[in-house]
Every structure is written in structure tokens, then in C-alpha cells.
Amino acid sequence: MHPAPTTPSPAPTSAPSSATSAASLAHWSEAGRRGMEAFYALATEDYRQLAAARDWAGIFRDLAAGRDRLTLLDVACGSGKFPTALLATPAVAALAGELVVETDLLDPSRFSLDEARGTLAPPFVGAADHECTVQDLVVRPGGWDLVWSTHGLYALAPDEVGPGMARFVEAIAPGGLGVVAQATTASHYLVVDEAFRGSFDPDGVRVPYTSAEQVVAALAGLPVTVSEELLTYRTSVALDDRATAEGFLQRCVFDDSVSLEAMEADPVLGGYLASCVEDGRWVFDHAVSLITVRHA
Ligand SMILES: C[S@@+](CC[C@H](N)C(=O)[O-])C[C@H]1O[C@@H](n2cnc3c(N)ncnc32)[C@H](O)[C@@H]1O
């Protein structure tokens, strides 16, 4: 594989801006691979549902506007689960040979950039890497036809959401499209984070995960039109598959030190987990906002 060209965006030499961001970065690493795999034993379903929620092949064609290519910036690319889910759909796979989606990847984690790059296949063709946070992105002249972030903005501190979304909007080319998929406060990801921090972070070192509501509020101050659609994902794991449940939950909170047993024994987190039990399974419900952004 050819190394991707790097861009003028600042390398992540500065310390993570919060304990939440530090926990995220520590887990998006080779050392965190097992936890990542445990998480995606369930969360791959999120991306499958996201891929089914739109006519993405049609969106690519519209943005290409008669050309044979378009440019994409994948913000917080993680390990590339969204492109992977899209490639599994016949409509996007069939674009190979017809259209090139020149894909720039952005992530503060070198591990994530390398993982995501390894998943790309036509019509996605890897272009530049931006090894930085979204709030530190140096937007190239002209931006990108399509800028998306799928479940990528949780680790921004509250005061970084405004600057992060400002860079996101700046990155959308004139006539282009921005898409954000982000869990709402009612979603499992944010509920479990809240319960976990309440019991296992008593000094309040961590900051809460960013919600879709915060993303939309940040966009409200920018010269864009925004529309939202609520998606509901449901993932589940058998009650007796404790290893999978533990790995998934530990990754949700970026903390491998608290066992499933300890989580269940905690009055708040345990109460929440008990409320997720249905027919011999833990069932986790996600209320996710699919946010569409265009220049006003
Ligand atoms: C759950 S993954 C995103 C999943 C991804 N969209 C996919 O398709 O698989 C979250 C990613 O956000 C990255 N991240 C954390 N803080 C960030 C920030 N401030 N700006 C951009 N990315 C960030 C992490 O390093 C991690 O790779």
C-alpha cells in the first residue's frame, strides 16, 4: 500500500484537550484493537443501517454532476466502517469503474487513518490523510464536494464543538454536501456514558460525549441550512455472552478497567443495564440524528 500524502494540517503533537479525548486516542491504537473488535461485534449493525438510510450512490452521482469523480472528506474516519458498509451495498459497489470518490481521511489517530485506508476500494480511492482533529483542520482551497462524519464527534469537549463544526462547514465546497450521523442524548451511547461518568468518574475529570443536539446547536450559528432525520438502531447480545457484552460496554466508555460485574453492581449503571434486558438479551437502542448540511 502506498503511504498517503500528508497535508499541512497540524500533526497531533499537542496533548489531547480533555480526559475524554485522551481516553479516545488511547483506545484508537494498536493496543485498543481487541476492544475495537469487541465493539464492532455489535456496532457494525449501526453502519449497515446508516448505509441503508439514504441512496448514497445517487448522492455521489448528484455531487459528481456529470463528471467522473467527486471529492470526499471523511471526518473522524475511525476504522472505516462506514465506507465498508457502503461497499457492501450493490448500488455503491456498482459505481466502481463509473465514478471515483477521491477520499481524504481525517483523524487525530494514526492508527485510525491506517485502518480506514486499508478498507477503501473503488469507487473510494484514497487521497490525502489529515492527521488532526476536525477543529484543527486547515481547509484546503475549494474544500470537498462531500464532507461526512459518522459517529465521529463524541470526544470533542463542549468548547470544541463550535470550532469543529465551523471547520466542517468551511470544508464543504460551494454546492457541496455535509452529512453528520451522531447519537442524540436519548441514545445508548450517551446514556451509558452519563451513567458511567456519574459512578466511575466521581471527580468529573471526563467531559460528556458530544450529542447530536450540540452539533445542531453549533450549526445554528453558521450560514447553512440544516435538516435532520431520526434513525433508530437496535443492537443486542445474548445475556450469557458476557465477554462480548463486556467488551462492547467497555469500548462505549473507553475504559477497560471496569468489569461487567462491577458495572452491573453499580446502582446507576447497573440499573440502566438491567433496563436493557429483553428476552434473554441485552438490547441497546440508539436514537441517531442524520444531519444534512448545505451552504445557505
Ligand atoms: C467511532 S470512530 C468513527 C467511526 C467511523 N466514522 C467509521 O466509519 O468507522 C471515532 C473516531 O473519532 C476520532 N476522533 C476523536 N476526536 C476527534 C476530533 N476532535 N476530531 C476528529 N476525529 C476525532 C477517533 O480518533 C476515532 O478514530
Side-chain angles (χ1 to χ4, degrees):
M1 194 191 314
H2 296 293
T6 47
T7 67
S9 295
T13 45
S14 55
S17 58
S18 70
T20 301
S21 167
S24 164
L25 206 52
H27 283 77
W28 285 99
S29 65
E30 194 55 52
R33 183 181 289 281
R34 261 189 62 194
M36 178 181 81
E37 283 167 0
F39 179 77
Y40 285 116
L42 272 73
T44 297
E45 175 59 15
D46 300 2
Y47 294 93
R48 195 193 62 73
Q49 295 196 30
L50 199 52
R54 284 275 187 286
D55 171 15
W56 293 102
I59 289 171
F60 294 164
R61 279 202 189 90
D62 286 351
L63 288 167
R67 297 168 297 163
D68 64 354
R69 61 191 57 236
L70 69 147
T71 55
L72 163 69
L73 176 65
D74 185 344
V75 170
C77 63
S79 50
K81 293 295 182 285
F82 186 48
T84 301
L86 288 174
L87 285 166
T89 67
V92 170
L95 289 178
E98 173 191 333
L99 208 60
V100 169
V101 183
E102 280 174 15
T103 305
D104 277 22
L105 301 171
L106 180 151
D107 205 290
S109 154
R110 184 72 248 168
F111 170 84
S112 292
L113 291 166
D114 292 342
E115 287 290 303
R117 175 161 297 275
T119 69
L120 298 180
F124 300 103
V125 173
D129 280 353
H130 305 261
E131 192 176 343
C132 63
T133 62
V134 63
Q135 61 272 27
D136 284 344
L137 171 66
V138 176
V139 175
R140 72 180 187 192
W144 290 262
D145 298 315
L146 177 57
V147 181
W148 71 39
S149 173
T150 57
H151 296 293
L153 304 175
Y154 299 114
L156 273 72
D159 63 349
E160 293 169 338
V161 182
M165 293 321 294
R167 294 295 84 67
F168 184 96
V169 164
E170 225 180 283
I172 305 170
L177 176 70
V179 179
V180 178
Q182 185 83 1
T184 67
T185 49
S187 187
H188 165 76
Y189 294 125
L190 271 73
V191 174
V192 77
D193 167 61
E194 176 86 23
F196 185 83
R197 280 183 298 101
S199 299
F200 295 96
D201 179 27
D203 299 331
V205 172
R206 289 197 182 200
V207 294
Y209 286 162
T210 300
S211 64
E213 290 88 336
Q214 285 170 285
V215 170
V216 170
L219 288 168
L222 297 168
V224 285
T225 55
V226 174
S227 62
E228 269 189 277
E229 182 190 345
L230 196 67
L231 306 179
T232 51
Y233 314 147
R234 179 160 257 226
T235 49
S236 77
V237 56
L239 279 183
D240 58 9
D241 187 355
R242 294 185 63 81
T244 303
E246 182 176 74
F248 173 73
L249 290 166
Q250 287 179 335
R251 183 72 176 195
C252 285
V253 297
F254 289 130
D255 190 329
D256 320 319
S257 69
V258 180
S259 68
L260 178 56
E261 213 172 22
M263 291 187 203
E264 289 175 301
D266 178 72
V268 178
L269 186 53
Y272 165 66
L273 291 177
S275 77
C276 297
V277 174
E278 221 177 280
D279 296 332
R281 301 181 73 81
W282 273 293
V283 176
F284 303 116
D285 283 321
H286 308 284
V288 171
S289 188
L290 184 55
I291 304 163
T292 301
V293 186
R294 289 183 191 276
H295 290 294

PDB file of all heavy atoms in Angstrom, residues 17-23 157-158 197-198 200-208:
ATOM      1  N   SER A  17      -7.050  17.375  24.390  1.00  0.00           N
ATOM      2  CA  SER A  17      -7.600  18.549  25.058  1.00  0.00           C
ATOM      3  C   SER A  17      -8.440  18.222  26.291  1.00  0.00           C
ATOM      4  O   SER A  17      -8.801  19.117  27.031  1.00  0.00           O
ATOM      5  CB  SER A  17      -8.452  19.322  24.053  1.00  0.00           C
ATOM      6  OG  SER A  17      -9.464  18.455  23.567  1.00  0.00           O
ATOM      7  N   SER A  18      -8.780  16.954  26.496  1.00  0.00           N
ATOM      8  CA  SER A  18      -9.570  16.600  27.675  1.00  0.00           C
ATOM      9  C   SER A  18      -9.300  15.134  28.012  1.00  0.00           C
ATOM     10  O   SER A  18      -8.736  14.391  27.203  1.00  0.00           O
ATOM     11  CB  SER A  18     -11.076  16.773  27.398  1.00  0.00           C
ATOM     12  OG  SER A  18     -11.504  15.771  26.490  1.00  0.00           O
ATOM     13  N   ALA A  19      -9.737  14.719  29.202  1.00  0.00           N
ATOM     14  CA  ALA A  19      -9.557  13.314  29.590  1.00  0.00           C
ATOM     15  C   ALA A  19     -10.359  12.402  28.664  1.00  0.00           C
ATOM     16  O   ALA A  19      -9.943  11.274  28.380  1.00  0.00           O
ATOM     17  CB  ALA A  19      -9.992  13.120  31.043  1.00  0.00           C
ATOM     18  N   THR A  20     -11.501  12.895  28.186  1.00  0.00           N
ATOM     19  CA  THR A  20     -12.312  12.092  27.259  1.00  0.00           C
ATOM     20  C   THR A  20     -11.564  11.910  25.939  1.00  0.00           C
ATOM     21  O   THR A  20     -11.489  10.801  25.390  1.00  0.00           O
ATOM     22  CB  THR A  20     -13.669  12.793  27.009  1.00  0.00           C
ATOM     23  OG1 THR A  20     -14.323  12.929  28.275  1.00  0.00           O
ATOM     24  CG2 THR A  20     -14.540  12.011  26.056  1.00  0.00           C
ATOM     25  N   SER A  21     -10.982  12.997  25.465  1.00  0.00           N
ATOM     26  CA  SER A  21     -10.219  12.935  24.219  1.00  0.00           C
ATOM     27  C   SER A  21      -8.991  12.038  24.395  1.00  0.00           C
ATOM     28  O   SER A  21      -8.647  11.256  23.495  1.00  0.00           O
ATOM     29  CB  SER A  21      -9.832  14.375  23.852  1.00  0.00           C
ATOM     30  OG  SER A  21      -8.874  14.391  22.874  1.00  0.00           O
ATOM     31  N   ALA A  22      -8.347  12.107  25.559  1.00  0.00           N
ATOM     32  CA  ALA A  22      -7.169  11.256  25.815  1.00  0.00           C
ATOM     33  C   ALA A  22      -7.579   9.786  25.838  1.00  0.00           C
ATOM     34  O   ALA A  22      -6.887   8.923  25.278  1.00  0.00           O
ATOM     35  CB  ALA A  22      -6.531  11.647  27.149  1.00  0.00           C
ATOM     36  N   ALA A  23      -8.737   9.488  26.461  1.00  0.00           N
ATOM     37  CA  ALA A  23      -9.207   8.098  26.522  1.00  0.00           C
ATOM     38  C   ALA A  23      -9.528   7.593  25.122  1.00  0.00           C
ATOM     39  O   ALA A  23      -9.212   6.452  24.763  1.00  0.00           O
ATOM     40  CB  ALA A  23     -10.440   8.001  27.422  1.00  0.00           C
ATOM     41  N   ALA A 157     -14.593  18.247  23.288  1.00  0.00           N
ATOM     42  CA  ALA A 157     -15.037  18.918  24.507  1.00  0.00           C
ATOM     43  C   ALA A 157     -16.102  19.949  24.123  1.00  0.00           C
ATOM     44  O   ALA A 157     -16.135  20.402  22.975  1.00  0.00           O
ATOM     45  CB  ALA A 157     -13.843  19.593  25.173  1.00  0.00           C
ATOM     46  N   PRO A 158     -16.963  20.326  25.067  1.00  0.00           N
ATOM     47  CA  PRO A 158     -18.060  21.252  24.718  1.00  0.00           C
ATOM     48  C   PRO A 158     -17.581  22.513  23.997  1.00  0.00           C
ATOM     49  O   PRO A 158     -18.209  22.960  23.036  1.00  0.00           O
ATOM     50  CB  PRO A 158     -18.687  21.592  26.073  1.00  0.00           C
ATOM     51  CG  PRO A 158     -18.393  20.402  26.927  1.00  0.00           C
ATOM     52  CD  PRO A 158     -17.067  19.867  26.467  1.00  0.00           C
ATOM     53  N   ARG A 197     -19.919   7.926  33.876  1.00  0.00           N
ATOM     54  CA  ARG A 197     -19.173   9.040  34.474  1.00  0.00           C
ATOM     55  C   ARG A 197     -19.688   9.347  35.869  1.00  0.00           C
ATOM     56  O   ARG A 197     -18.915   9.635  36.782  1.00  0.00           O
ATOM     57  CB  ARG A 197     -19.260  10.292  33.585  1.00  0.00           C
ATOM     58  CG  ARG A 197     -18.294  10.256  32.401  1.00  0.00           C
ATOM     59  CD  ARG A 197     -18.340  11.535  31.582  1.00  0.00           C
ATOM     60  NE  ARG A 197     -19.647  11.758  31.000  1.00  0.00           N
ATOM     61  CZ  ARG A 197     -20.552  12.591  31.482  1.00  0.00           C
ATOM     62  NH1 ARG A 197     -20.282  13.340  32.528  1.00  0.00           N
ATOM     63  NH2 ARG A 197     -21.737  12.688  30.909  1.00  0.00           N
ATOM     64  N   GLY A 198     -21.027   9.256  36.053  1.00  0.00           N
ATOM     65  CA  GLY A 198     -21.614   9.547  37.360  1.00  0.00           C
ATOM     66  C   GLY A 198     -21.033   8.656  38.442  1.00  0.00           C
ATOM     67  O   GLY A 198     -20.779   9.098  39.569  1.00  0.00           O
ATOM     68  N   PHE A 200     -18.208   6.225  37.989  1.00  0.00           N
ATOM     69  CA  PHE A 200     -16.796   5.803  37.915  1.00  0.00           C
ATOM     70  C   PHE A 200     -15.841   6.966  37.621  1.00  0.00           C
ATOM     71  O   PHE A 200     -14.647   6.757  37.479  1.00  0.00           O
ATOM     72  CB  PHE A 200     -16.640   4.696  36.863  1.00  0.00           C
ATOM     73  CG  PHE A 200     -17.371   3.435  37.257  1.00  0.00           C
ATOM     74  CD1 PHE A 200     -18.653   3.178  36.783  1.00  0.00           C
ATOM     75  CD2 PHE A 200     -16.796   2.531  38.143  1.00  0.00           C
ATOM     76  CE1 PHE A 200     -19.341   2.031  37.164  1.00  0.00           C
ATOM     77  CE2 PHE A 200     -17.471   1.378  38.528  1.00  0.00           C
ATOM     78  CZ  PHE A 200     -18.749   1.125  38.043  1.00  0.00           C
ATOM     79  N   ASP A 201     -16.380   8.166  37.519  1.00  0.00           N
ATOM     80  CA  ASP A 201     -15.533   9.357  37.340  1.00  0.00           C
ATOM     81  C   ASP A 201     -16.039  10.416  38.325  1.00  0.00           C
ATOM     82  O   ASP A 201     -16.499  11.497  37.928  1.00  0.00           O
ATOM     83  CB  ASP A 201     -15.631   9.852  35.885  1.00  0.00           C
ATOM     84  CG  ASP A 201     -14.797  11.104  35.634  1.00  0.00           C
ATOM     85  OD1 ASP A 201     -13.786  11.320  36.350  1.00  0.00           O
ATOM     86  OD2 ASP A 201     -15.165  11.888  34.735  1.00  0.00           O
ATOM     87  N   PRO A 202     -15.961  10.098  39.649  1.00  0.00           N
ATOM     88  CA  PRO A 202     -16.593  10.982  40.638  1.00  0.00           C
ATOM     89  C   PRO A 202     -15.990  12.385  40.655  1.00  0.00           C
ATOM     90  O   PRO A 202     -16.666  13.345  41.024  1.00  0.00           O
ATOM     91  CB  PRO A 202     -16.349  10.266  41.973  1.00  0.00           C
ATOM     92  CG  PRO A 202     -15.232   9.312  41.713  1.00  0.00           C
ATOM     93  CD  PRO A 202     -15.282   8.950  40.263  1.00  0.00           C
ATOM     94  N   ASP A 203     -14.719  12.508  40.226  1.00  0.00           N
ATOM     95  CA  ASP A 203     -14.105  13.847  40.238  1.00  0.00           C
ATOM     96  C   ASP A 203     -14.435  14.645  38.979  1.00  0.00           C
ATOM     97  O   ASP A 203     -13.977  15.773  38.817  1.00  0.00           O
ATOM     98  CB  ASP A 203     -12.579  13.731  40.386  1.00  0.00           C
ATOM     99  CG  ASP A 203     -12.200  13.040  41.689  1.00  0.00           C
ATOM    100  OD1 ASP A 203     -12.999  13.165  42.655  1.00  0.00           O
ATOM    101  OD2 ASP A 203     -11.156  12.363  41.734  1.00  0.00           O
ATOM    102  N   GLY A 204     -15.194  14.024  38.088  1.00  0.00           N
ATOM    103  CA  GLY A 204     -15.625  14.742  36.882  1.00  0.00           C
ATOM    104  C   GLY A 204     -14.469  15.122  35.985  1.00  0.00           C
ATOM    105  O   GLY A 204     -14.457  16.202  35.384  1.00  0.00           O
ATOM    106  N   VAL A 205     -13.485  14.223  35.865  1.00  0.00           N
ATOM    107  CA  VAL A 205     -12.318  14.504  35.011  1.00  0.00           C
ATOM    108  C   VAL A 205     -12.733  14.480  33.541  1.00  0.00           C
ATOM    109  O   VAL A 205     -12.270  15.285  32.737  1.00  0.00           O
ATOM    110  CB  VAL A 205     -11.207  13.462  35.290  1.00  0.00           C
ATOM    111  CG1 VAL A 205     -10.075  13.593  34.290  1.00  0.00           C
ATOM    112  CG2 VAL A 205     -10.685  13.617  36.713  1.00  0.00           C
ATOM    113  N   ARG A 206     -13.637  13.566  33.216  1.00  0.00           N
ATOM    114  CA  ARG A 206     -14.050  13.444  31.811  1.00  0.00           C
ATOM    115  C   ARG A 206     -15.119  14.471  31.463  1.00  0.00           C
ATOM    116  O   ARG A 206     -15.876  14.892  32.328  1.00  0.00           O
ATOM    117  CB  ARG A 206     -14.637  12.060  31.578  1.00  0.00           C
ATOM    118  CG  ARG A 206     -13.594  10.972  31.622  1.00  0.00           C
ATOM    119  CD  ARG A 206     -14.192   9.765  30.993  1.00  0.00           C
ATOM    120  NE  ARG A 206     -13.272   8.650  31.032  1.00  0.00           N
ATOM    121  CZ  ARG A 206     -13.378   7.610  30.232  1.00  0.00           C
ATOM    122  NH1 ARG A 206     -14.376   7.524  29.376  1.00  0.00           N
ATOM    123  NH2 ARG A 206     -12.518   6.619  30.306  1.00  0.00           N
ATOM    124  N   VAL A 207     -15.191  14.790  30.173  1.00  0.00           N
ATOM    125  CA  VAL A 207     -16.299  15.628  29.709  1.00  0.00           C
ATOM    126  C   VAL A 207     -17.308  14.711  29.026  1.00  0.00           C
ATOM    127  O   VAL A 207     -16.933  13.658  28.503  1.00  0.00           O
ATOM    128  CB  VAL A 207     -15.819  16.739  28.731  1.00  0.00           C
ATOM    129  CG1 VAL A 207     -14.923  17.724  29.440  1.00  0.00           C
ATOM    130  CG2 VAL A 207     -15.125  16.159  27.499  1.00  0.00           C
ATOM    131  N   PRO A 208     -18.594  15.103  29.055  1.00  0.00           N
ATOM    132  CA  PRO A 208     -19.608  14.239  28.418  1.00  0.00           C
ATOM    133  C   PRO A 208     -19.375  14.125  26.923  1.00  0.00           C
ATOM    134  O   PRO A 208     -18.815  15.027  26.300  1.00  0.00           O
ATOM    135  CB  PRO A 208     -20.921  14.991  28.673  1.00  0.00           C
ATOM    136  CG  PRO A 208     -20.621  16.035  29.679  1.00  0.00           C
ATOM    137  CD  PRO A 208     -19.147  16.302  29.662  1.00  0.00           C
TER     138      PRO A 208
END
